[in-house]
Amino acid sequence: MRPEILRLCAFGAYAAEQEFDLAALGPHRLFLIHGPTGAGKTTLLDAICFALFGESSGEERRANDLRSHHASGATETFVELDFALGERRYRIRRTPAQSVTGSRGKPVQRTPQVTLWQRGTDGTLAVLAEKTTPVADRITELLGYQADEFRQVVLLPQGRFRELLTAAPDDRQKILATLFRTALYKRIQAGFAEMEAKAKAAASEARTQRETLLAEARAETPEAAAANAASHVAALDEATRQAASAAALAQLAAAALAEGRRGAERLTAAAEAAAALAAREAEAPAMATQRAQLDAARRAQGLAGEEATLRATRDAAQEAASRAQTAQDAAEKARARRAAAMRALGDEAARATALDAATRQQHELEDLRIRAASLGESARLAREADGTLARATAARDAARAAQEAARARADSAAIARQEAAMLAAQLEPRRAAMTQAAQQAQDAAALTGAEAARLAAQQALARAEAGAAMASAALEQASAARAAADATAWAAAAGELALQLRDGEACAVCGSTHHPHPATTATPQGEDRVVVARREEAARAAHLKASTQLTRAQGELQSATTRRDDLARRLSDPLPEGAVAATETAFRAAEGAATRLPALDAALAQAEAARLAAEAELTAREVARAAAQEAATIAAAAHATRLESVPPEARDEAALAASLATAQARLTTLASALERDRKEEAAAGAALQAAEAAAIAATTGAGAAQAALEAGKARMHAACEAAGFATLAAYAEARLAPAEMEALAARIEDFQLKLELARAAAARAARDIEGLAAPDLAALESAASAAQEAARAATVLEGEARERATQSLGLAQRIQESDAAFATARARHALLDNLARQTRGQNPRRLDLEGFVLASLLDEALAAANAHLHRMMAGRYHLARREDPGRANAAIGLDIEVFDEHTGQSRPAGTLSGGEGFCAALSLALGLAETVQAHAGARPVDTLLIDEGFGSLDEEALDKAMEVLSGLQGGSRLVGIISHVAELKTRIPARLEVTPGLRGSSARFVVG
């Protein structure tokens, strides 16, 4: 980060608005902020820190107290900073909470405001963030560090690092903890303690669970539980064998019972076949009679021709006798006819009167016929109206049924549509439920991965801890070797100096001329001091690397544990089994309902239209039936009226027509009967003569035919005797129709076939039961039932044994798992107990984790500081950390001492003179700033502002310090020094002169 332009108003010592454009420095990268005490030099650092972070550069000044007391009430306090990060430019403007005088002279409270922009190459501004938290997050993202780190790596506060150099170890621990923010390691240390407590509780719980399971198994050890399980498995095997044996015996008994039942069935079948044969043989006499009847019928069939001749002769005789009788009857009729004709001609007057009466009757019947004809028409119309009414009623009933069906379909469509709508309304809630269930399923899968990552991070931490322990041991060994080499070297140097001592001459080291105990010359032994020093530096670097890896592993474990815990909390209420599929099924049902809803709406509309059409059709049919009912009523009334005008006896058209026809015929008969009777009398006389002649001839022919019949009967009798029939009656009794003869022959043949089949079946059954004894089915059934019951009992025992074996095996498996879990929990507790004890200081160095980290970071900072101090002090002084094993807290090893190359001795840093102390403090400040930056992971620091007094330095020390500071401004790095020392004005050509005034301070850049 490199500041470019700072604008401020009503801030600190500056009442008016001022702008500080660092472009005025030109090529100079080292500049001095100079002015008298209290002029407002440090205020400029406060302004930069306030603009970026909303805080001052020193903890003793609060941000809300930075408003200038010189500013008028209407002037608003603000700070605006243009700064660069690499090639990118930014601007930030911040105003604190303040009270300003409004336009009406009343105070107005202003809330804090802050805005961050990115500046384009054309000067345009693009807002990146507004408001406190978003801007703070974005600034931290851009710079790579927060306010505390910024004050450590960019701003070197006044007097802070001199205090650090000379502070007591406990105070130094607090300062370093603040600088390096090692509270994390305290939390890690507490976390190890918490993890150890949880691991201890988990191990205790695992032990309790193991003991509970062993008690449940009634075993002392997992091996004993496994042995119990094995015994139950052996018992199960025995029970299984016995169950199989019982099942086999049950199968044998069942097979014997089945065989006995088959034997009984064979005996029964043989008895039934014998009975059937006896029944057939009992029918044989009747069949013999039917066979004799068939033989007689066949003999009678041979006389059929003779019988036909006799029948024809008899028919001829009967016909001749009939003709003779007919002729005689005709003659008698002719005589009667002539007598009747004679009688008819005897009463002509009576017959004329009857003719007049017949004429009147004809006229009356004709009138009745006309009226009866109209009655038929009205009856036809009434019948047609009744038919129309019946058809209208049937149509009405059909329309009503159709209307009910349409209403039912409409109701069904409405119900289906309502159900689909209700389902569709649940679409989004069910989608959310499905998404939540899927997310929980993903979290469950992620939890497994997170747990694996946590275990991997735990293993990595264990490896890092082992590496750190090894590196610590190696460093201790190298430091011991370094100390031994230093002692050997100093002893050799003392011997060399002692060789140069002369009595009465001053010692080159202490200046004394008295040498009571000169050192003896010592021969250097062991490795070279430089080699040992390099090995110590290498061990120190390896130790620092291992510490860094340990810190990284601890952070990764904490991150993995946090993620695992977050996922576990999100899964604190897990879904039941199958919930994902159930929510998806419910969502698919709702989705399907939503998809079907338009079609169901259309179907409902169609069904409603059909219902309305059916109701309209029913209404039309009911109207038509009412009209038909009315027409039928009118037609029935008209027919009743006409029916009253016709007598009941004349209402039958056919009878009336017959009566009319009879009357007409009688009239005609009466009219012509007289003429006919006259003619009849003449014809009857002639007919009588002819009939009498024919009767004589017919009587003669009948006598001849009777003689022929008697001759035919004699021939037939002789033929019957020849065929074995004693009489014609016996012949007639033996005769059968061809169909009867055919049926009788079929019965006889069927009987014979069935008799042969019965004989064969009886013979087969007899052969089938030869040597077969009747089985004792009751005994076989009892044996089979007993065997089946024994098999069921054995199966029950097997099931009980299986259940015991399953439970025993499951319990043994759970005991094994519990034993393994207990071993794992015990090992984890041992590991975490060791880590907790090591991190809280129960180790050979008696350092807790924070003390170890602080000591390592201080070593790194001292190494960087010594590089600067070597240049400032010509290599005379070397800052080092001293450990005191007698102390039992985190401050062990945080003492800083100074090794003086001139004396070869180490002494406390507080013994340095003012100038020496300043150089050492400045070197330590620079070293600490570099170390903090390296461990903060920030961007390269392009600016360094030092608020420290240089008045205590002599001219040579000031030259060295300026040389070091000048070296820091290499490249684009900007180095600013805040001081009131006037001599610095001649050494630093570029400066910002701060001038105090009664109305506030002002400042301007001076170059040259």
Side-chain angles (χ1 to χ4, degrees):
M1 195 283 294
R2 186 175 68 256
E4 293 184 336
I5 301 175
L6 176 65
R7 305 178 188 87
L8 52 82
C9 180
F11 189 86
Y14 302 90
E17 180 175 347
Q18 296 203 26
E19 177 178 294
F20 305 97
D21 188 352
L22 272 71
L25 296 175
H28 300 282
R29 290 294 174 263
L30 175 63
F31 71 99
L32 173 67
I33 302 177
H34 184 266
T37 301
K41 302 184 294 297
T42 303
T43 300
L44 299 177
L45 303 187
D46 288 340
I48 294 174
C49 197
F50 175 77
L52 293 172
F53 302 104
E55 301 179 13
S56 69
S57 64
E59 296 179 353
E60 66 279 1
R61 295 181 299 282
R62 295 185 303 169
N64 291 337
D65 297 334
L66 295 178
R67 175 173 170 80
S68 176
H69 299 290
H70 301 286
S72 65
T75 304
E76 183 180 38
T77 299
F78 74 86
V79 176
E80 186 174 277
L81 175 66
D82 289 2
F83 62 96
L85 287 174
E87 299 299 324
R88 296 186 177 182
R89 302 292 188 270
Y90 300 90
R91 174 176 294 174
I92 186 169
R93 179 184 177 95
R94 189 185 300 268
T95 60
Q98 55 187 303
S99 176
V100 298
T101 303
S103 58
R104 298 182 180 180
K106 295 182 179 180
V108 178
Q109 296 296 326
R110 304 284 190 183
T111 59
Q113 301 290 332
V114 60
T115 304
L116 175 66
W117 297 273
Q118 182 172 348
R119 292 189 295 143
T121 56
D122 56 354
T124 57
L125 296 176
V127 176
L128 295 182
E130 294 180 307
K131 299 185 179 180
T132 303
T133 301
V135 169
D137 293 340
R138 198 60 186 269
I139 285 294
T140 301
E141 176 186 349
L142 291 173
L143 299 182
Y145 36 69
Q146 299 176 352
D148 290 340
E149 294 162 342
F150 181 78
R151 285 191 289 263
Q152 296 159 16
V153 300
V154 177
L155 307 180
L156 303 186
Q158 186 176 19
R160 186 68 177 272
F161 292 100
R162 176 70 178 186
E163 174 188 349
L164 178 63
L165 180 66
T166 60
D170 290 338
D171 296 334
R172 184 177 294 110
Q173 176 190 357
K174 296 177 182 179
I175 297 171
L176 291 176
T178 301
L179 289 175
F180 292 111
R181 295 192 300 168
T182 55
L184 168 66
Y185 301 99
K186 276 190 174 296
R187 292 196 297 273
I188 294 174
Q189 184 174 321
F192 277 132
E194 182 181 359
M195 291 171 64
E196 184 272 333
K198 291 181 179 179
K200 183 177 181 180
S204 176
E205 182 180 356
R207 180 189 296 107
T208 301
Q209 183 178 9
R210 175 179 178 272
E211 292 174 353
T212 301
L213 292 174
L214 285 172
E216 182 180 352
R218 297 180 181 179
E220 295 294 332
T221 63
E223 292 74 15
N228 290 341
S231 67
H232 284 119
V233 171
L236 172 61
D237 293 340
E238 178 61 22
T240 302
R241 185 190 64 77
Q242 292 181 0
S245 176
L249 292 176
Q251 290 178 354
L252 290 175
L257 176 59
E259 184 63 27
R261 286 173 176 169
R262 285 194 295 273
E265 291 172 356
R266 288 159 57 194
L267 290 172
T268 301
E272 291 175 352
L277 177 59
R280 290 298 177 190
E281 289 177 343
E283 294 176 2
M287 286 297 104
T289 301
Q290 292 185 11
R291 192 177 286 108
Q293 182 184 1
L294 178 61
D295 180 65
R298 287 173 176 170
R299 285 186 282 111
Q301 191 177 20
L303 300 176
E306 191 63 33
E307 183 186 12
T309 301
L310 177 62
R311 189 182 298 111
T313 302
R314 182 182 289 113
D315 291 343
Q318 290 176 353
E319 185 177 357
S322 177
R323 283 197 299 271
Q325 184 64 39
T326 299
Q328 292 174 0
D329 292 341
E332 186 64 30
K333 289 180 179 179
R335 284 190 289 271
R337 176 185 174 189
R338 187 172 181 276
M342 291 300 289
R343 287 191 300 270
L345 285 176
D347 192 7
E348 291 186 3
R351 295 176 71 177
T353 301
L355 180 62
D356 291 338
T359 301
R360 286 194 301 273
Q361 184 183 13
Q362 179 187 7
H363 290 317
E364 290 174 356
L365 290 174
E366 184 67 27
D367 181 61
L368 285 174
R369 185 188 67 77
I370 294 172
R371 281 183 289 167
S374 64
L375 183 62
E377 177 65 19
S378 65
R380 183 186 64 78
L381 291 175
R383 287 193 301 275
E384 289 180 354
D386 289 340
T388 302
L389 175 59
R391 289 190 297 276
T393 300
R396 189 273 315 271
D397 293 341
R400 180 173 295 163
Q403 186 263 346
E404 292 296 333
R407 178 181 298 170
R409 288 192 296 271
D411 291 343
S412 298
I415 291 173
R417 196 267 174 200
Q418 184 178 8
E419 291 176 350
M422 293 174 64
L423 269 177
Q426 294 297 316
L427 179 61
E428 291 307 320
R430 291 185 177 185
R431 187 197 304 276
M434 180 181 71
T435 303
Q436 182 181 4
Q439 183 60 48
Q440 287 204 15
Q442 292 177 1
D443 289 345
L447 179 59
T448 302
E451 179 61 21
R454 189 189 66 79
L455 292 176
Q458 193 173 25
Q459 295 172 356
L461 177 59
R463 292 192 299 270
E465 288 170 342
M470 293 175 61
S472 296
L475 179 58
E476 289 179 359
Q477 186 177 8
S479 298
R482 168 79 179 270
D486 286 344
T488 300
W490 291 123
E496 291 294 331
L497 289 174
L499 291 176
Q500 299 176 11
L501 293 177
R502 298 292 184 270
D503 291 334
E505 294 182 3
C507 175
V509 176
C510 62
S512 175
T513 58
H514 183 60
H515 316 297
H517 304 290
T520 61
T521 303
T523 303
Q525 298 179 353
E527 294 181 288
D528 182 78
R529 182 185 179 193
V530 176
V531 174
V532 173
R534 289 176 180 173
R535 188 163 64 245
E536 182 191 23
E537 291 298 328
R540 192 179 303 281
H543 176 263
L544 178 61
K545 180 178 180 181
S547 300
T548 303
Q549 290 176 348
L550 176 59
T551 302
R552 185 181 302 112
Q554 290 167 341
E556 290 174 354
L557 175 58
Q558 183 180 13
S559 176
T561 302
T562 300
R563 172 160 176 75
R564 191 275 313 271
D565 293 343
D566 289 344
L567 289 172
R569 281 193 297 273
R570 287 159 61 181
L571 291 171
S572 59
D573 188 13
L575 291 174
E577 184 176 0
V580 176
T583 55
E584 184 175 2
T585 300
F587 169 71
R588 297 304 178 199
E591 188 178 39
T595 304
R596 294 194 309 273
L597 198 56
L600 291 174
D601 287 336
L604 177 59
Q606 184 177 3
E608 284 292 332
R611 182 182 65 79
L612 294 175
E615 290 178 351
E617 179 66 17
L618 175 60
T619 302
R621 292 300 180 183
E622 288 179 343
V623 171
R625 183 186 178 280
Q629 178 72 46
E630 184 178 0
T633 301
I634 294 171
H639 176 64
T641 301
R642 291 184 180 182
L643 192 64
E644 291 176 356
S645 66
V646 179
E649 63 275 8
R651 292 173 184 174
D652 188 353
E653 292 183 7
L656 184 59
S659 298
L660 181 59
T662 302
Q664 289 175 345
R666 184 170 179 270
L667 179 60
T668 301
T669 300
L670 291 175
S672 59
L674 183 59
E675 181 65 25
R676 186 178 65 246
D677 288 345
R678 293 186 181 114
K679 293 179 180 179
E680 176 63 21
E681 190 278 330
L688 178 58
Q689 292 177 357
E692 287 177 346
I696 294 170
T699 300
T700 302
Q706 185 62 36
L709 176 60
E710 292 299 328
K713 286 181 178 179
R715 288 192 301 274
M716 183 62 186
H717 183 72
C720 285
E721 288 180 349
F725 298 107
T727 64
L728 288 176
Y731 161 73
E733 184 180 359
R735 273 188 316 171
L736 291 175
E740 291 177 336
M741 291 175 62
E742 188 175 340
L744 181 59
R747 285 198 300 273
I748 294 170
E749 184 179 359
D750 180 66
F751 168 76
Q752 190 63 35
L753 177 60
K754 289 181 178 178
L755 178 61
E756 294 300 327
L757 290 175
R759 287 171 179 168
R764 281 196 306 273
R767 289 192 303 272
D768 193 37
I769 63 173
E770 288 179 359
L772 180 63
D776 187 354
L777 290 180
L780 291 173
E781 288 175 350
S782 177
S785 177
Q788 187 66 29
E789 183 61 30
R792 279 196 295 270
T795 301
V796 170
L797 291 176
E798 180 193 13
E800 292 174 351
R802 186 177 303 280
E803 183 177 0
R804 286 193 297 271
T806 301
Q807 291 178 351
S808 181
L809 285 172
L811 186 57
Q813 178 64 28
R814 286 159 55 200
I815 289 173
Q816 292 292 339
E817 293 174 354
S818 176
D819 188 60
F822 172 59
T824 301
R826 183 170 56 187
R828 174 176 170 78
H829 173 249
L831 173 63
L832 291 174
D833 180 62
N834 180 55
L835 287 174
R837 286 187 290 101
Q838 291 289 336
T839 54
R840 63 173 172 258
Q842 296 179 8
N843 53 58
R845 298 179 63 186
R846 304 180 67 185
L847 275 176
D848 64 8
L849 180 61
E850 184 184 27
F852 173 77
V853 172
L854 287 175
S856 299
L857 292 174
L858 182 58
D859 284 340
E860 185 178 348
L862 291 175
N866 283 329
H868 299 297
L869 184 60
H870 180 78
R871 294 174 59 191
M872 291 184 191
M873 303 303 294
R876 177 179 177 181
Y877 295 109
H878 180 85
L879 298 176
R881 181 176 57 83
R882 179 171 61 86
E883 293 187 359
D884 184 2
R887 295 171 61 88
N889 54 41
I892 293 176
L894 298 185
D895 280 335
I896 298 178
E897 60 184 10
V898 179
F899 179 77
D900 189 344
E901 291 288 349
H902 290 182
T903 65
Q905 299 293 325
S906 296
R907 54 193 172 97
T911 62
L912 293 174
S913 65
E916 294 172 339
F918 172 77
C919 292
L922 179 58
S923 299
L924 179 59
L926 296 174
L928 282 170
E930 294 170 3
T931 304
V932 169
Q933 179 187 356
H935 285 275
R939 308 293 189 271
V941 177
D942 293 332
T943 303
L944 181 63
L945 302 175
I946 303 173
D947 189 2
E948 185 58 72
F950 288 78
S952 60
L953 299 181
D954 58 21
E955 184 176 357
E956 182 180 0
L958 184 59
D959 288 338
K960 294 293 184 181
M962 293 303 302
E963 180 183 350
V964 170
L965 293 175
S966 298
L968 296 177
Q969 64 172 335
S972 60
R973 193 175 196 181
L974 185 67
V975 179
I977 298 173
I978 298 178
S979 179
H980 63 278
V981 177
E983 187 178 355
L984 291 177
K985 295 174 63 176
T986 61
R987 294 176 177 270
I988 303 175
R991 59 190 180 275
L992 178 64
E993 295 282 358
V994 180
T995 304
L998 295 177
R999 297 183 179 179
S1001 298
S1002 61
R1004 64 186 183 90
F1005 282 105
V1006 177
V1007 179

